[in-house]
Amino acid sequence: MKSLMHEMGNRALELGIPLGVQLDLTYRCNERCVHCYLDHEDHGEMTTAEIVGLLRQLADAGVFFLTLSGGEIFMRPDFFEILEEARRLTFSVKLKTNAVMVRPARARRIAQLGVESVQISVYSHKEETHDAITKLPGSLRRTLEGARMLRDEGVKVSFANVLMKHNSGDYPEVKALAESLGIEYKCDATITPMMDGDRAVLALNVDGDTLARIYRDDAMVGNAGEYCAPPSGPMDEQDALHSLPCSAGHSAAYISPYGEVYPCVQFPMPCGNVREQRFVDIWRHSPQLADVRSIRVADVQGCSSCVHGGSCSRCPGLAYTEGNMRGPSTQDCERSYARTGVPSKNLLERRAPPVTGGRQVFWMVATQQPVK
């Protein structure tokens, strides 16, 4: 299966086809998670007719994998009308939800429509911790009830466990909970900036020592999105230098509830709006997407000669939110450091104290020893 998926991805790149798209149906949500990067007000979501029309455009453009997400997808009364059209167009559909609003009839309908999988956000095995993060009393209980309903209908379910200061020690128990329910488990130790650029939420990221412990634990199962394609291990130097940073804008895209097209949900660079242009025209002719597609690892400032160049899952979207999509992403540098114990040049420079007495001193993050 992995070989087939790899072949599909390569073929999509060759033909310029958007193999996978994430479409957020709404930013409205019944939870108010402390780390969420979205504005939950409705500023004019696409109508049912607009979304149905968009789905047909996506099918015509060659999209195969479709992720329907939010916000909370069940906040839209027309959700099943949208899902039914997506399956009629034969998309392979994945859903993202907190499952609080899942009931037996909904779980049964999702199974009947042949949804590929459902990803559910679970932050802790402890009610007080999970509910404090979601700010919705009783949310863990209701989320687990919804997960069981979907599982019992034969739907493939996975738990997505975002780690932050509130819950960084709970992931082994969340993984064990998932296993006890026969549910897949993924965890991600990266908090991302708000879509509007506000970076205050990054204060929730775990500290360096905790990050290192997580990344060296077998329970940590990766932080890549569905269509993100970081290297799976060390690459030949020349292959790494000429590789693409990821699939964002190359074979994948993200569309907001307002019709805005971006390279990826973590790459908030506006590339067009499907309320003004057909999706395929944006995909083929957007100057912003052309700029994204021109990036190669060899061209990325500070990354082409980095010791982690062959294994880093550098995210151009995170780099973009730091001010330069052709520069390094500090969050990725921190992840690489956590995995290997070797700081990148970018990380050393950012962590360096001011020049004192005419001498520049670089301090290593963990050992606090000067680099000579």
Side-chain angles (χ1 to χ4, degrees), residues 230-236 240 306-314 332 336 339-340:
S232 57
M235 299 172 65
D236 176 81
C306 180
V307 66
H308 301 298
S311 60
C312 178
S313 57
R314 176 192 176 274
D332 284 313
S336 290
R339 282 192 294 266
T340 66

Side-chain angles (χ1 to χ4, degrees), residues 207-270:
D207 61 56
D209 289 341
T210 303
L211 191 64
R213 174 173 54 79
I214 292 168
Y215 272 97
R216 298 173 194 182
D217 190 320
D218 289 340
M220 179 64 187
V221 292
N223 53 24
E226 279 79 354
Y227 310 118
C228 191
S232 57
M235 299 172 65
D236 176 81
E237 182 178 3
Q238 288 305 312
D239 288 343
L241 289 177
H242 290 94
S243 65
L244 306 176
C246 73
S247 57
H250 294 273
S251 59
Y254 164 69
I255 305 175
S256 82
Y258 312 118
E260 301 150 329
V261 178
Y262 301 93
C264 170
V265 68
Q266 286 191 323
F267 199 154
M269 172 191 242

Side-chain angles (χ1 to χ4, degrees), residues 290-328:
D291 198 19
V292 170
R293 290 167 186 153
S294 71
I295 302 173
R296 296 294 183 274
V297 172
D299 305 322
V300 177
Q301 302 160 17
C303 293
S304 59
S305 59
C306 180
V307 66
H308 301 298
S311 60
C312 178
S313 57
R314 176 192 176 274
C315 175
L318 290 176
Y320 174 82
T321 65
E322 290 183 29
N324 180 12
M325 69 179 181
R326 296 179 184 275

